[in-house]
C-alpha cells in the first residue's frame, strides 16, 4: 500500500471516529428521559407535577418539576423548593439544591435531593414550592411525597458529634466490570441546613464474602473530592453477587468509624 493510500485511509477513519464522537455527544446531552409520576397538586388552576426516574428513596434523587395549565406546559421564571420532614415533635429538612431548567428536557425544572430518612411511622415528607411564572404570578403550595428506605445512604459521627451523611450516588446499578463510583457527603449545620462537605479524605474497601471464612476484594481507586460534596473513584467488580464496600472518612486527620454499604452487583 502506498503512502497516499495509507493517508487516505487514516483520514477516512479519522472522519468516521469524529462523526461517531459527535453523534455520541449529541446523544449524551439528550438522553431519553424515562420518568414516572411521583405526585401532583393543583393550585389556582395550575397543576404542578413531580416526576422522577424511580420511586423516591433515601439517598440521592433527581426531582423533575412540570407546571401545566389546561394541559399546556408552562415554563416558569423560577422554581424554589424546600423539602421538610414532619416528625411530630420536630421538623427537619435534608440536603438538596434548587431546581433549574432541566438540560435533558426543557419542559422540566430539575433538582437533586438527598433524603436522609425514609417516611412512614417516624414522620412524613413534603416539599413546599414557590413558582414564579413568566407573568410574575407566584404559585405556592406543598407536595406530599413518599420516601422509601434504600441501601444508598448511611451516616457517621465524629468525636464532636458532627454528623456526616454519606450517599452512594453512582453507579445506580453496579455491574460486573468497571464502574465510576461517586459518593456525596453532607453535614448538618441546623435542622434546616445540610451543606456539602468538600474537604474530606475517603478510603474504601470493596469486599465479597465467599462464605466459609474466605472472600476477596477487587480493583478499585479511592474516591477523591471533586467539589460540591462529590467524591469520585472507581470499582472494577470481578464477580456478580453480594458485595460490601466499607467507607472511612478522614476529617482533619481523624479517621471516623467505618460505615458499610451492602448491595448486589449484576452480571450485566
Ligand atoms: Cu426525620
Amino acid at each position: 500500500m502506498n503512502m497516499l493510500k495509507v493517508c487516505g485511509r487514516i483520514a477516512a477513519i479519522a472522519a468516521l471516529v469524529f462523526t461517531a464522537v459527535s453523534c455520541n455527544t449529541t446523544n449524551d446531552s439528550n438522553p431519553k428521559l424515562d420518568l414516572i409520576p411521583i405526585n401532583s397538586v393543583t393550585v389556582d388552576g395550575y397543576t404542578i407535577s413531580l416526576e422522577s426516574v424511580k420511586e423516591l428513596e433515601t439517598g440521592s434523587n433527581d426531582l423533575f418539576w412540570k407546571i401545566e395549565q389546561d394541559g399546556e406546559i408552562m415554563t416558569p421564571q423560577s422554581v424554589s423548593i424546600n423539602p421538610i420532614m414532619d416528625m411530630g415533635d420536630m421538623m427537619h429538612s435534608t440536603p438538596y439544591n434548587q431546581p433549574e431548567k432541566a438540560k435533558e428536557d426543557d419542559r422540566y425544572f430539575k433538582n437533586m435531593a438527598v433524603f436522609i430518612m425514609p417516611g412512614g411511622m417516624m414522620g412524613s415528607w413534603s416539599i413546599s414550592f414557590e413558582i414564579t411564572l413568566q407573568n410574575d404570578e407566584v404559585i405556592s403550595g406543598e407536595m406530599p411525597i413518599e420516601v422509601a428506605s434504600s441501601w444508598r445512604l448511611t451516616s457517621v459521627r465524629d468525636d464532636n458529634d458532627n454528623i456526616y451523611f454519606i450517599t452512594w450516588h453512582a453507579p445506580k446499578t453496579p455491574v460486573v466490570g468497571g464502574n465510576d463510583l461517586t459518593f456525596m457527603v453532607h453535614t448538618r449545620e441546623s435542622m434546616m441546613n445540610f451543606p456539602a462537605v468538600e474537604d474530606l479524605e475517603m478510603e474504601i474497601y470493596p469486599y465479597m464474602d465467599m462464605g466459609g471464612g474466605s472472600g476477596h476484594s477487587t480493583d478499585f481507586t479511592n474516591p477523591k473530592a471533586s467539589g460540591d460534596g462529590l467524591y469520585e473513584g472507581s470499582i472494577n467488580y470481578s464477580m456478580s453477587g453480594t458485595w460490601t464496600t466499607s467507607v472511612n472518612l478522614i476529617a482533619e486527620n481523624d479517621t471516623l468509624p467505618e460505615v458499610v454499604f451492602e448491595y448486589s452487583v449484576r452480571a450485566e
Side-chain angles (χ1 to χ4, degrees), residues 27-60:
N27 285 341
D28 282 353
S29 60
N30 282 308
K32 200 96 179 21
L33 266 182
D34 201 1
L35 300 176
I36 59 166
I38 300 297
N39 199 2
S40 68
V41 295
T42 300
V43 182
D44 300 340
Y46 296 99
T47 302
I48 297 93
S49 302
L50 175 59
E51 301 179 17
S52 189
V53 292
K54 58 174 172 48
E55 301 292 343
L56 305 184
E57 59 178 26
T58 53
S60 69

Side-chain angles (χ1 to χ4, degrees), residues 41 43 126-129 140-144:
V41 295
V43 182
S126 65
I127 306 180
S128 63
F129 57 83
S140 58
E142 257 181 45
M143 181 81 69

Side-chain angles (χ1 to χ4, degrees), residues 85 87 90-96 114-117 122 125 153-158 160-166 185-198 200 249:
M85 187 185 201
M87 301 187 67
M90 59 94 86
M91 313 233 276
H92 65 86
S93 188
T94 209
Y96 70 100
V114 173
F115 295 110
I116 57 170
M117 288 178 70
M122 304 279 285
W125 283 99
L153 177 106
T154 186
S155 64
V156 64
R157 287 173 195 268
D158 67 14
N160 301 318
D161 217 29
N162 297 312
I163 191 164
Y164 296 89
F165 296 98
I166 308 169
V185 183
H186 295 85
T187 190
R188 177 166 62 207
E189 275 183 5
S190 71
M191 283 304 167
M192 294 299 145
N193 190 19
F194 294 76
V197 188
E198 303 190 338
L200 300 167
L249 294 184

Side-chain angles (χ1 to χ4, degrees), residues 1-79:
M1 208 186 285
N2 68 33
M3 211 50 206
L4 202 66
K5 263 191 183 151
V6 172
C7 288
R9 207 160 261 221
I10 289 171
I13 290 167
L16 268 177
V17 168
F18 184 73
T19 313
V21 167
S22 322
C23 289
N24 265 338
T25 316
T26 317
N27 285 341
D28 282 353
S29 60
N30 282 308
K32 200 96 179 21
L33 266 182
D34 201 1
L35 300 176
I36 59 166
I38 300 297
N39 199 2
S40 68
V41 295
T42 300
V43 182
D44 300 340
Y46 296 99
T47 302
I48 297 93
S49 302
L50 175 59
E51 301 179 17
S52 189
V53 292
K54 58 174 172 48
E55 301 292 343
L56 305 184
E57 59 178 26
T58 53
S60 69
N61 298 261
D62 285 331
L63 307 183
F64 290 86
W65 300 84
K66 189 167 73 183
I67 297 94
E68 288 165 290
Q69 187 187 35
D70 301 327
E72 199 174 312
I73 293 171
M74 325 277 295
T75 304
Q77 292 184 42
S78 65
V79 180

